[in-house]
Each structure stands twice: as C-alpha cells, then as structure tokens.
C-alpha cells in the first residue's frame, strides 16, 4: 500500500502542518470503516470531561483497530463530531498526539450529539 499526500501549492488555500487536502491510497488490500466512536468506558459511561472522553476515544479506536490487526498508522480518514466549536483545539491536540507526524484527511463538524454528556465522537477509515 502506498500513501500520497495531495496538497496543491497554487489555486487553493495552504494546508497547515497537521492537515492535508487529500490522501491518496494506492493498492490497499483491506479497508476498515469504523463507526462513530465515543468517549465511553467499558461499562458505557462517558468520560467526565472533554479530555477524558478524547483519551477514551483514542483508546477505543486503538482496540477496534487491533481487532483488524491494524494500528492508528493505518488511519487514512478521520471525521470528528464536536458538541461545541470550542472543543476544536483539544480535539486537534488529541489527534496530533495519537497520530504523531502522520497527516490524514480530516474534518471536524459541530453537531448536536445524541446525549448531552457525549462531547465528541470520531469515525475513521483505515487501510492496510
């Protein structure tokens, strides 16, 4: 599998250091589409605050990916659903911490979540 970052240098706004306009995936053998994952613990309880929910989400995503013999290094697309726009920076920090220097196609959307104590939800696509 080959990953190619596609960031045109003219005719479009500049991508930031943690953002790509597009990520081309060549010749993957497998794709995994992960449903929106929330910051819930094993008992289904939401983390007490945004940071704990983000930690739980990334822990849950790692576990789901492990089931498919993948890691966060296989993520090629990520969508974050934030209950409040003020959560964008914490979400970005958590994503960068989880992915390191890897950049993936990503979108953040502000939404009304199904429950008030669910502050963020993240869905991903992974390829191997």
């Amino acid at each position: 599998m080959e990953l190619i970052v596609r960031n045109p240098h003219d005719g479009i706004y500049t991508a930031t250091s943690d953002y790509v306009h597009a990520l081309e995936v060549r010749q993957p053998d497998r794709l995994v589409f992960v449903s929106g994952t929330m910051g819930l613990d094993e008992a289904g309880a939401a983390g007490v605050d945004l940071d704990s929910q983000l930690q739980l989400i990334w822990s849950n995503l790692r576990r789901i990916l492990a089931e498919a013999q993948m890691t966060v290094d296989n993520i090629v697309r990520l969508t974050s659903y934030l209950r409040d726009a003020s959560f964008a920076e914490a979400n970005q920090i958590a994503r960068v911490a989880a992915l390191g220097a890897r950049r993936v196609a990503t979108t953040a959307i502000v939404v009304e979540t199904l429950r008030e104590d669910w502050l963020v939800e993240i869905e991903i696509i992974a390829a191997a």
Side-chain angles (χ1 to χ4, degrees), residues 101-118:
R102 286 195 66 249
R103 295 181 297 164
V104 302
T106 183
T107 300
I109 303 168
V110 176
V111 299
E112 181 178 345
T113 54
L114 295 175
R115 288 183 26 180
E116 287 186 22
D117 59 338
W118 295 352

Side-chain angles (χ1 to χ4, degrees), residues 9-56:
H9 296 288
D10 58 356
I12 191 169
Y13 56 91
T14 304
T16 60
S17 63
D18 68 322
Y19 177 85
V20 298
H21 288 293
L23 183 65
E24 182 178 341
V25 181
R26 292 188 177 178
Q27 300 177 335
D29 290 328
R30 300 181 297 131
L31 295 174
V32 174
F33 296 83
V34 179
S35 297
T37 302
M38 295 165 294
L40 306 179
D41 64 18
E42 283 188 65
V48 296
D49 60 17
L50 180 61
D51 288 335
S52 64
Q53 287 191 27
L54 286 165
Q55 288 175 3
L56 283 164

Side-chain angles (χ1 to χ4, degrees), residues 56-123:
L56 283 164
I57 286 170
W58 283 101
S59 175
N60 292 339
L61 289 172
R62 285 184 192 92
R63 178 62 190 98
I64 293 165
L65 289 168
E67 186 73 12
Q69 293 81 46
M70 293 185 183
T71 70
V72 295
D73 290 337
N74 294 98
I75 296 172
V76 296
R77 175 78 177 124
L78 183 149
T79 303
S80 298
Y81 301 93
L82 309 174
R83 186 161 181 82
D84 191 283
S86 67
F87 299 166
E89 183 177 5
N91 182 62
Q92 176 188 22
I93 290 167
R95 176 177 41 81
V96 170
L99 299 180
R102 286 195 66 249
R103 295 181 297 164
V104 302
T106 183
T107 300
I109 303 168
V110 176
V111 299
E112 181 178 345
T113 54
L114 295 175
R115 288 183 26 180
E116 287 186 22
D117 59 338
W118 295 352
L119 305 178
V120 60
E121 185 173 341
I122 295 176
E123 69 179 8

